[in-house]
Amino acid sequence: MKTTNNYLLVVSIISFFTTSIFCEPNDATTTRIPILKCCPRDKELIVSIENGISKVTNDCRKSTTAWQPKIYSPTRQMQFNEPLDGWNVLEGRRPECRDDSVLTKIPSRAAVPFIFLEDGYAIVDGNVEEPIAPNDYCADANAIFVCVKKTPEGNRAAATMKPKIRRCCGKSAVFHEGRESCDFVNESEDTTPLLGDSSAMVDIVSGFPACPRGDKYTILADVKDAVLQLDGSMKVDGVILPSGQFCVERIKELNQAVKVFACSEHAPQRPHVQATDIRFTLYPVGFIISAVFLAATLAAGWLLPASHHVLHWRCQTHHVACLMLGDLLMAIIQLAGDSLRGGSCKALADLDYTVNDKRRN
């Protein structure tokens, strides 16, 4: 009887472990999404700039940083900067395009980076309406290869198609001028159309234009001051912008005002002034000399304590201090020239305006 009980105990233990082994989920068999990376590990595609135009080659070079794709998870509403656990990154692999598609090379742009969703789909040029399937692209740090469908020639339906107008940041996004990038927002259904009454005449697609000089754009005008043409081009200040070289978008800081973005070559041309022009030297030098004498005036005033209680001296001191600070700011602006951009440019402009306003008052 004792032998029988021992036998049953052994059988029970074996049965328990066998059941545990076969019931335990096997992570190795879990299906992961294959994501193609164009170059092998620690390498990236070579992007060269020729005549201001970014060109992507088929070759790879050693990268200085790890690949950090910008991934957005709609379900968790979170952003990630490294491949997800559910991804199976296949390095050194290119997509195999179908007969009706052609492999297109697209360089990365700071204004509109590539966005990857957790299911592996990619959003290129902000085109959220047509995300790219994982097997139709390979990505890298500075470029992406995409299988793009060929446009059939002689398509009769093309004659009846509406012209396509680009929306820079795409659906549910606006342009943040301070950060020079797009911000996602929740748009209500009663939001004013981008192009007003003309919106019904066109099809809105997403993405910034592909400019000949690369990722360089300028804000030309308000949409209400531009005239949309029948062929999808836009007339701004007498200049016709081809449909593929501009986009429209709301500006977050300007209460959602809609502006026209265009390639930098369409910006109004300013008179060309040589960098060696003597005026670029005389202006800042004059401001600096003025600031030195104003500082000396302030120092002399402080050396006369008998006049410190006089109201006129106090007003004069404040006025001279504003003059000195204003001249210093103007000298900095003149010396910095076009290198001042973004927040620093606005900060100096606001400070200079405030100082000069105090001086006038």
Side-chain angles (χ1 to χ4, degrees):
M1 184 68 178
K2 184 175 181 180
T3 304
T4 304
N5 290 338
N6 290 339
Y7 173 77
L8 292 175
L9 179 61
V10 171
V11 170
S12 299
I13 294 174
I14 294 175
S15 175
F16 171 78
F17 279 106
T18 305
T19 304
S20 300
I21 292 172
F22 283 102
C23 291
E24 183 180 359
N26 188 356
D27 292 339
T29 61
T30 303
T31 302
R32 295 199 298 168
I33 302 171
I35 302 295
L36 307 183
K37 185 179 181 299
C38 305
C39 294
R41 181 184 294 272
D42 298 329
K43 290 189 176 182
E44 62 185 13
L45 290 168
I46 299 176
V47 178
S48 60
I49 299 179
E50 299 179 8
N51 298 324
I53 302 175
S54 299
K55 293 186 177 181
V56 185
T57 67
N58 289 320
D59 301 325
C60 301
R61 67 181 177 190
K62 186 175 180 59
S63 59
T64 56
T65 58
W67 182 43
Q68 295 181 328
K70 296 182 182 298
I71 305 170
Y72 176 70
S73 171
T75 57
R76 288 179 280 182
Q77 295 187 351
M78 295 177 61
Q79 296 182 5
F80 303 91
N81 290 324
E82 58 182 17
L84 302 177
D85 294 335
W87 285 13
N88 180 23
V89 179
L90 306 176
E91 298 174 335
R93 296 276 296 272
R94 309 287 171 93
E96 297 180 1
C97 299
R98 296 178 293 273
D99 293 338
D100 61 344
S101 301
V102 60
L103 189 65
T104 303
K105 306 169 186 177
I106 305 174
S108 176
R109 295 185 287 174
V112 191
F114 307 133
I115 303 296
F116 302 92
L117 304 178
E118 59 185 338
D119 58 2
Y121 278 74
I123 298 174
V124 179
D125 284 342
N127 191 355
V128 296
E129 287 86 1
E130 298 180 2
I132 303 169
N135 59 335
D136 286 336
Y137 74 86
C138 74
D140 234 303
N142 50 8
I144 189 170
F145 287 3
V146 180
C147 292
V148 179
K149 287 188 176 181
K150 299 177 182 178
T151 303
E153 298 181 0
N155 190 352
R156 295 180 180 179
T160 61
M161 290 175 61
K162 297 179 182 179
K164 296 183 183 296
I165 301 298
R166 288 178 173 270
R167 179 174 180 177
C168 309
C169 293
K171 189 177 181 181
S172 300
V174 295
F175 187 78
H176 193 294
E177 195 172 9
R179 292 200 294 265
E180 297 184 352
S181 62
C182 297
D183 271 5
F184 287 101
V185 295
N186 293 323
E187 289 188 348
S188 59
E189 295 182 358
D190 57 350
T191 302
T192 305
L194 283 174
L195 299 173
D197 296 336
S198 301
S199 297
M201 302 166 49
V202 300
D203 287 332
I204 302 295
V205 297
S206 301
F208 280 81
C211 297
R213 297 181 183 176
D215 191 12
K216 296 180 180 179
Y217 308 102
T218 184
I219 299 178
L220 287 184
D222 199 305
V223 162
K224 64 183 180 182
D225 298 326
V227 180
L228 183 65
Q229 307 297 305
L230 294 176
D231 60 353
S233 60
M234 185 168 284
K235 188 175 183 180
V236 180
D237 294 333
V239 178
I240 298 295
L241 303 175
S243 60
Q245 295 191 19
F246 75 91
C247 63
V248 296
E249 190 52 82
R250 306 182 198 277
I251 306 295
K252 187 173 184 178
E253 294 93 331
L254 300 180
N255 196 24
Q256 308 290 327
V258 183
K259 298 289 184 178
V260 180
F261 291 67
C263 299
S264 59
E265 53 264 31
H266 296 295
Q269 298 297 318
R270 296 180 297 177
H272 181 68
V273 181
Q274 294 291 337
T276 55
D277 195 314
I278 189 64
R279 289 176 294 175
F280 287 103
T281 304
L282 292 179
Y283 288 161
V285 169
F287 284 124
I288 292 173
I289 293 175
S290 175
V292 170
F293 278 97
L294 290 170
T297 303
L298 287 176
W302 282 106
L303 294 176
L304 298 173
S307 61
H308 288 185
H309 66 282
V310 181
L311 179 61
H312 174 72
W313 178 86
R314 295 178 183 177
C315 294
Q316 176 181 304
T317 300
H318 292 158
H319 182 72
V320 172
C322 288
L323 282 174
M324 182 187 68
L325 185 56
D327 287 349
L328 283 175
L329 290 173
M330 289 301 296
I332 293 172
I333 292 172
Q334 288 290 332
L335 290 172
D338 293 338
S339 62
L340 283 176
R341 296 180 181 275
S344 60
C345 180
K346 291 183 179 180
L348 276 176
D350 291 341
L351 184 58
D352 190 45
Y353 174 81
T354 303
V355 169
N356 283 284
D357 186 60
K358 292 289 185 182
R359 183 185 67 184
R360 287 191 297 268
N361 296 333

